[in-house]
Amino acid sequence: MSKFFNSDRFQSYGIVLFAVLAAMTYGVAHDMVTARIAIDYFFPPYHPVLVESRNPNIVALAWGTAATWWVGLMLGVPLAISARVGPWPKLSLRNVLPLVAGLFGTSAIAAATMGSLSYSRLGNEIEAVWTAHNTSYTVGFLGGIAVCVIAGMIRLRKQQVQSRQELTASFEANTLADPTSDVECESKSLPPAEPQS
């Protein structure tokens, strides 16, 4: 069973699935808040009717899922490629968890900040909710690119460390295989002894 969970296919698909689930969870939590601030934002003329109910919980579950699963997919596929494809050391699902969590945490802080600023400036709940949602999308898009780049940089760093370790191990192996090599090199570099008078 552990072999399956550590397989390349499981790790790659796991990253994509986790990104989708994380995005949907964030979307539902986000809408749980904004639906209580301005439920009208989720209905015409701002959005088409997705559910007939005006219960904030039902609206948040419906819109939070529908509006974010594809965001998670757009994040998960490039992230899986950045983390797994190519000759460099691969990142596991566990390695990318902090990156994804940091992205959505940053989005939440940015959305709350910008939504609050909008409300304090305009005093309009729908405008504040609109600002919060668009901030989440913007930070999610730009942050998703950053997360993929960071994953690639982590792999590059691992490759550099691995290459140095292999070079050191090769040097030490050669030295152990021929321990006189250093002595011979030193003796060759010494100047000839002057004759005794």
Side-chain angles (χ1 to χ4, degrees), residues 172-188:
E172 290 175 350
N174 290 336
T175 303
L176 290 174
D178 186 8
T180 62
S181 59
D182 290 342
V183 177
E184 290 176 356
C185 289
E186 290 176 5
S187 63
K188 289 177 183 178

Side-chain angles (χ1 to χ4, degrees), residues 128-152:
V129 167
W130 181 88
T131 301
H133 277 259
N134 280 278
T135 299
S136 282
Y137 280 116
T138 302
V139 174
F141 176 75
L142 297 177
I145 295 173
V147 163
C148 293
V149 171
I150 291 170

Side-chain angles (χ1 to χ4, degrees), residues 10 19 25 28 42 63 65 73 85 98 104 112 117 131 134 144 160 167 170 179 181:
F10 174 83
T25 301
V28 170
F42 297 92
W63 273 108
T65 301
L73 190 64
V85 174
F104 287 114
L117 288 174
T131 301
N134 280 278
Q160 291 172 338
L167 187 61
S170 175
S181 59

Side-chain angles (χ1 to χ4, degrees), residues 74-80 82-83 99 143-153:
M74 288 179 61
L75 168 65
V77 172
L79 180 57
S82 299
L99 298 178
I145 295 173
V147 163
C148 293
V149 171
I150 291 170
M153 291 173 64

Side-chain angles (χ1 to χ4, degrees), residues 34-120:
T34 56
R36 284 169 167 75
I37 295 173
I39 193 71
D40 289 337
Y41 173 80
F42 297 92
F43 292 91
Y46 308 102
H47 286 91
V49 176
L50 187 61
V51 290
E52 294 294 338
S53 173
R54 291 181 67 86
N55 183 307
N57 294 327
I58 295 174
V59 171
L61 284 170
W63 273 108
T65 301
T68 55
W69 69 266
W70 57 272
V71 175
L73 190 64
M74 288 179 61
L75 168 65
V77 172
L79 180 57
I81 293 171
S82 299
R84 306 289 300 173
V85 174
W88 293 350
K90 293 175 171 45
L91 301 182
S92 67
L93 172 58
R94 182 177 296 180
N95 296 140
V96 304
L97 291 181
L99 298 178
V100 176
L103 169 60
F104 287 114
T106 302
S107 295
I109 294 170
T113 301
M114 296 305 295
S116 299
L117 288 174
S118 174
Y119 183 76
S120 65

